Amino acid sequence: MPNYNRSRRVAVAGGAGFLGSHLIDRLIDRGDEVVCIDNLFTGDKANIAHLRNHPRFEFIRHDVCFPLYIEADEIYNLACPASPIHYQHDPVQTTKVSVLGAINLLGLAKRLRCKIFQASTSEVYGDPVLHPQTEEYWGNVNPIGIRSCYDEGKRCAETLFFDYRRQHHLSIKVARIFNTYGPRMHPGDGRVVSNFIIQALRGEPITLYGDGSQTRSFCYYEDLIEGFLRLMDTADDIVGPINLGNPVEFTIRELAEQVIELTGSASRIVAHPRPQDDPMQRKPDIGKAQRTLDWEPKVPLRDGLIKTIAYFDALLSSG
């Protein structure tokens, strides 16, 4: 007889990363079995060390650019370097992990006939001319720039997901993630929140690219993971893409000033040239997530920064 009370077995590719490890914590907490798949290029075993001996947790060191043969009831694909420093370090590999990784995990989902989630990105919108960005906007992306390996890799992954749905009737979910931050961010990933906090805690100059007038909207990881779970648990006809992010917009200079205030740092702000293809504006329209998932962010930037600063402060103190 089938066991209707058994927990779901969920595969999380990129599970040792910042967001993947937090997702796994939520899945474990609700009673699921989790298989964490990561090649540890940007993931860190420290993020999942607390689960090492958990009876419902399994770790597989594997590069999703190569086929994977496991059993699962659901798959989350978070496997890809997500910060410019990391994805530009090996741009060919970045494109490979987005495209080949999607093909291999979609192939696994096709074999298992299971639901699969794609962690896409607001970078599919490029340097947008539409503000805020809706899911219907096709974007303004440079296909041959230094960020293209990530931007176009993620765009191609979305194409693959929707083609697998049309051609193979696969159950898919696609979320477009806007700037997310919180504990377990890699201290050297070059993302603006972690950069500013590390520099402020060390008393180093805060590196501002351009005049700091470019805007971002910052979503605390707890809110984002809640969005993941709500999207994954919707009916099969709800596929996305759905924007998940915080619609409250800040300039980068405002972020720097807030970090300096909260850390009590004596750091000064130093301007540097703005990188190629760095978007001037980034703000999600989350109307679809509000209507479809009954979801919106709850954690204000100040509260999230306080928790993130405490994490990096402890990390630097222990190192």
Side-chain angles (χ1 to χ4, degrees):
M1 295 289 293
N3 178 9
Y4 293 110
N5 295 318
R6 75 179 181 88
S7 61
R8 282 175 285 195
R9 181 173 169 83
V10 184
V12 180
F18 160 46
L19 291 176
S21 62
H22 285 301
L23 172 62
I24 287 173
D25 284 343
R26 285 290 305 273
L27 295 170
I28 291 286
D29 286 347
R30 76 178 188 184
D32 291 337
E33 296 178 16
V34 178
V35 182
C36 172
I37 304 150
D38 206 300
N39 68 350
L40 302 178
F41 174 63
T42 56
D44 191 335
K45 278 189 175 180
N47 291 336
I48 51 173
H50 60 291
L51 297 171
R52 184 179 301 135
N53 298 317
H54 197 287
R56 286 185 280 106
F57 176 78
E58 178 183 351
F59 173 72
I60 298 175
R61 186 164 184 169
H62 180 81
D63 184 343
V64 294
C65 290
F66 300 93
L68 179 66
Y69 303 98
I70 61 170
E71 301 300 314
D73 301 307
E74 293 180 351
I75 300 169
Y76 285 84
N77 181 23
L78 282 72
C80 188
S83 73
I85 283 180
H86 289 146
Y87 65 64
Q88 291 172 17
H89 172 72
D90 189 345
V92 172
Q93 185 62 24
T94 296
T95 303
K96 282 183 177 180
V97 76
S98 289
V99 178
L100 297 179
I103 290 170
N104 288 325
L105 291 172
L106 285 162
L108 178 63
K110 178 187 171 187
R111 178 178 70 81
L112 299 174
R113 302 310 304 171
C114 74
K115 190 185 305 183
I116 182 168
F117 175 100
Q118 167 67 3
S120 191
T121 173
S122 60
E123 298 298 332
V124 300
Y125 299 122
D127 190 2
V129 296
L130 176 72
H131 191 73
Q133 292 81 59
T134 66
E135 291 87 351
E136 291 72 31
Y137 177 52
W138 290 356
N140 177 39
V141 178
N142 177 1
I144 57 171
I146 59 172
R147 300 169 67 104
S148 305
C149 56
Y150 185 68
D151 303 357
E152 295 287 46
K154 287 288 191 176
R155 286 164 69 93
C156 186
E158 286 195 16
T159 300
L160 286 162
F161 266 70
F162 278 86
D163 281 339
Y164 265 78
R165 174 175 171 80
R166 286 184 284 260
Q167 187 170 339
H168 301 296
H169 310 292
L170 208 57
S171 178
I172 67 166
K173 308 289 179 181
V174 178
R176 289 176 176 166
I177 302 169
F178 284 68
N179 293 67
T180 306
Y181 69 101
R184 299 185 195 165
M185 292 182 78
H186 194 293
D189 68 4
R191 284 190 268 198
V192 65
V193 172
S194 52
N195 257 13
F196 286 0
I197 292 175
I198 293 288
Q199 289 170 338
L201 290 173
R202 288 175 172 165
E204 299 171 351
I206 302 291
T207 305
L208 197 69
Y209 293 105
D211 61 4
S213 63
Q214 61 268 50
T215 65
R216 297 292 185 272
S217 47
F218 301 99
C219 185
Y220 194 58
Y221 81 90
E222 289 177 349
D223 288 328
L224 187 77
I225 299 303
E226 178 65 25
F228 283 6
L229 297 173
R230 292 192 185 200
L231 176 57
M232 194 61 146
D233 287 341
T234 54
D236 283 353
D237 62 333
I238 298 172
V239 299
I242 289 184
N243 289 337
L244 294 179
N246 196 323
V248 180
E249 195 173 11
F250 294 87
T251 68
I252 299 301
R253 181 171 289 275
E254 287 173 331
L255 174 68
E257 291 168 349
Q258 195 161 158
V259 167
I260 290 172
E261 177 201 341
L262 293 174
T263 56
S265 175
S267 295
R268 58 192 180 88
I269 297 174
V270 177
H272 289 263
R274 186 169 154 241
Q276 178 187 343
D277 299 329
D278 182 45
M280 273 303 295
Q281 293 179 307
R282 187 56 57 74
K283 174 184 175 180
D285 181 318
I286 62 167
K288 184 180 287 188
Q290 290 170 317
R291 293 187 303 271
T292 308
L293 310 178
D294 190 25
W295 176 91
E296 61 183 5
K298 306 293 186 187
V299 181
L301 178 62
R302 186 179 185 87
D303 294 352
L305 284 177
I306 289 171
K307 295 177 182 179
T308 309
I309 288 167
Y311 168 78
F312 279 115
D313 193 25
L315 193 67
L316 292 177
S317 299
S318 65

